[in-house]
């Protein structure tokens, strides 16, 4: 862990030197705003107690002391009534970019992107009996979800109550227009959607019409008596990264053009829009959204429209390339959980009877589970 070896107060900043030889600068105002002592920060909830907006813009520390052999720092602020602020060296090093951020879901662990080019992952199923409170299976599921974007659980009971209990381990089940735990079969007629049919379903992400598309999607195969119907998974992050390398102009267009999605049935009209590829502030992939069935009309000026169609077609060609597909024949008792912000899913056409139930979770709850369970 980094140790502070020297601290030097300057007009605008405090300069810290680290045992690695690195140097970091912290504005005085920022330091006053980020004290970790109980007067500045609630120790249990980590909610801020400092009144940021009452602070003097020109505040400057009067004195500072390196504590605990370089593992902590204290700053004394001017005025007798002003408290002293304390900081751990780990916190300051993290903020300075010298340590991975603990707020990242599973800091230090990178997703393992997969495609035809880089190789597809093996199917490492997790036995149902291991997925429960305090058992190692849930941690394995979350690790595989973070690494590959999906996990398959085998040997699960096929009744709805057991399915609900299983899926509740990943976060609370989200209520949508399809219900909490929904059923899916070609015999159902409540929702007039392509998913409720026997035909081939092209890989897509769900809920391109939702402002906050579900983060995890869960399926449990309850009955299957027929042929075909394999689930298709595609790693949208891997394909987006390939496009970023091979066709950067197309990648950029898909990061910029907002694509509307819609869902319409009697009494329901959902609609939102976002780019097919969403990045964070550091231009890392955050979410892919692709569902040509649910795309709503939009019109750009002709050159931009043409560029969009070219880029969208490029992405689509990568998505429907069979070599990029992982196909999983889900049979009764098999559950599939996957990251709907990263993976696209589809299904081969089938004959016979196929009954599934499933549900959604919010992405933030999945990320919370990654931070707290795994
Ligand atoms: Fe879907």
């Amino acid at each position: 862990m980094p140790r502070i070896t020297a601290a030097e107060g300057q007009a605008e900043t405090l300069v810290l030197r680290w045992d690695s030889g690195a140097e970091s600068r912290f504005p005085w105002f920022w330091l006053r705003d980020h004290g970790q002592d109980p007067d500045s920060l609630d120790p249990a909830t980590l909610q801020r107690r400092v009144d940021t907006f009452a602070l003097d813009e020109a505040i400057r520390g009067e004195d500072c002391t390196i504590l605990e052999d370089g593992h902590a720092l204290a700053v004394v602020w001017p005025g007798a009534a002003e408290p002293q602020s304390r900081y751990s060296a780990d916190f300051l090093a993290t903020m300075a970019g010298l340590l991975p951020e603990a707020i990242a879901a599973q800091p230090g662990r990178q997703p393992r992107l997969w495609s035809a080019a880089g190789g597809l992952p093996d199917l490492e199923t997790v036995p149902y009996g291991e997925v429960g409170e305090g058992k190692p299976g849930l941690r394995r599921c979350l690790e595989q979800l973070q690494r590959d974007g999906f996990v398959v659980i085998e040997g699960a009971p096929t009744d709805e109550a057991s399915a609900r209990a299983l899926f509740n381990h990943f976060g609370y089940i989200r209520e949508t227009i399809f219900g909490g735990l929904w059923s899916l079969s070609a015999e159902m007629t409540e929702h007039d959607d392509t998913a409720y049919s026997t035909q081939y379903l092209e890989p897509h992400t769900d809920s391109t019409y939702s402002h906050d598309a579900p983060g995890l999607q869960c399926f449990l195969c309850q009955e299957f008596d027929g042929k075909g119907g394999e689930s298709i998974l595609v790693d949208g992050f891997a394909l987006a990264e390939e496009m970023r390398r091979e066709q950067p102009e197309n990648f950029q267009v898909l990061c910029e053009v907002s694509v509307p999605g819609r869902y319409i049935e009697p009494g329901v009209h959902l609609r939102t829009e976002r780019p097919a590829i969403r990045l964070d502030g550091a231009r890392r992939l955050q979410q892919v959204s692709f569902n040509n069935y649910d795309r709503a009309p939009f019109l750009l000026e002709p050159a931009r429209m043409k560029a969009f169609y070219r880029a969208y077609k490029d992405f689509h060609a990568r998505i429907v390339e069979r070599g990029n597909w992982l196909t999983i024949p889900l049979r009764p008792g098999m559950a599939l959980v996957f990251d709907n912000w990263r993976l696209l899913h589809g299904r081969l056409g089938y004959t016979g009877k196929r009954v599934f139930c499933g549900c959604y979770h919010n992405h933030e709850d999945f990320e919370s589970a990654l931070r707290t369970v795994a």
Side-chain angles (χ1 to χ4, degrees):
M1 286 297 156
R3 280 178 48 245
I4 302 165
T5 55
E8 184 195 339
Q10 298 185 347
E12 299 283 334
T13 59
L14 177 68
V15 180
L16 294 186
R17 261 179 285 282
W18 301 91
D19 55 349
S20 62
E23 195 176 275
S24 315
R25 300 165 70 84
F26 298 90
W28 287 117
F29 189 93
W30 184 93
L31 284 167
R32 182 66 189 88
D33 190 36
H34 284 86
Q36 293 186 295
D37 49 285
D39 286 330
S40 305
L41 195 70
D42 185 302
T45 64
L46 302 188
Q47 286 184 296
R48 179 173 283 100
R49 285 177 170 164
V50 173
D51 183 356
T52 307
F53 309 105
L55 298 179
D56 178 358
E57 212 176 289
I59 193 166
R60 186 185 161 170
E62 261 183 2
D63 191 19
C64 96
T65 316
I66 298 170
L67 305 167
E68 299 171 20
D69 195 27
H71 291 291
L73 181 83
V75 173
V76 177
W77 303 103
E82 292 285 344
Q84 166 176 286
S85 296
R86 283 180 67 105
Y87 314 85
S88 74
D90 285 358
F91 168 67
L92 295 172
T94 303
M95 290 293 101
L98 303 175
L99 281 177
E101 284 211 50
I103 56 164
Q106 298 199 305
R109 282 197 201 138
Q110 291 294 319
R112 185 175 68 183
L113 304 188
W114 49 269
S115 68
L120 302 178
D122 295 326
L123 196 56
E124 299 170 41
T125 60
V126 176
Y128 169 79
E130 289 183 14
V131 186
E133 218 60 61
K135 295 184 183 170
L138 181 59
R139 179 187 295 245
R140 263 186 69 193
C141 288
L142 289 166
E143 284 174 355
Q144 287 192 35
L145 275 165
Q146 197 274 339
R147 188 187 66 198
D148 298 326
F150 72 96
V151 66
V152 173
I153 298 157
E154 257 186 322
T158 55
D159 63 287
E160 287 199 357
S162 301
R164 189 172 280 113
L166 171 64
F167 295 141
N168 259 324
H169 289 307
F170 294 88
Y172 70 89
I173 292 173
R174 174 164 158 172
E175 285 286 336
T176 72
I177 53 161
F178 302 106
L181 189 78
W182 33 257
S183 290
L184 184 67
S185 76
E187 285 75 38
M188 294 185 62
T189 53
E190 291 113 86
H191 302 287
D192 194 13
D193 192 86
T194 41
Y196 296 82
S197 71
T198 61
Q199 70 203 50
Y200 159 68
L201 267 185
E202 187 170 280
H204 60 277
T205 60
D206 268 19
S207 304
T208 50
Y209 44 76
S210 296
H211 293 297
D212 177 19
L216 290 184
Q217 182 164 174
C218 308
F219 286 127
L220 171 69
C221 178
Q222 295 174 290
E223 279 183 69
F224 184 77
D225 183 13
K227 280 200 167 64
E230 287 88 347
S231 293
I232 305 165
L233 294 178
V234 183
D235 189 349
F237 277 17
L239 304 186
E241 289 297 358
E242 286 173 12
M243 189 192 273
R244 171 151 43 189
R245 283 195 301 275
E246 295 163 8
Q247 298 289 341
E249 281 177 28
N250 287 348
F251 178 83
Q252 190 56 29
V253 167
L254 292 190
C255 291
E256 290 172 359
V257 173
S258 248
V259 182
R262 66 179 171 189
Y263 180 88
I264 295 172
E265 65 176 45
V268 179
H269 188 154
L270 301 177
R271 188 185 195 284
T272 191
E273 58 181 64
R274 64 178 156 270
I277 299 174
R278 199 163 64 81
L279 305 178
D280 69 8
R283 294 189 62 77
R284 289 173 299 214
L285 294 170
Q286 280 256 288
Q287 183 183 12
V288 294
S289 301
F290 187 95
N291 192 325
N292 205 42
Y293 298 110
D294 294 343
R295 182 163 51 86
F298 68 109
L299 180 65
L300 305 172
E301 61 90 16
R304 190 68 168 157
M305 198 78 241
K306 189 173 178 184
F308 166 74
Y309 275 125
R310 189 189 303 129
Y312 203 58
K313 186 174 180 176
D314 181 352
F315 199 25
H316 175 261
R318 295 169 196 270
I319 288 165
V320 295
E321 165 58 48
R322 300 292 195 272
N324 289 326
W325 290 7
L326 190 70
T327 51
I328 305 173
L330 289 179
R331 295 293 175 255
M334 288 173 77
L336 168 66
V337 183
F338 60 90
D339 183 344
N340 184 56
W341 284 22
R342 171 178 163 190
L343 263 52
L344 298 93
H345 64 284
R347 181 195 66 209
L348 295 175
Y350 68 95
T351 55
K353 190 172 186 196
R354 183 180 185 269
V355 180
F356 275 41
C357 67
C359 64
Y360 294 128
H361 297 88
N362 294 317
H363 209 274
E364 65 196 29
D365 297 316
F366 165 45
E367 291 173 25
S368 168
L370 288 176
R371 293 186 190 107
T372 55
V373 177

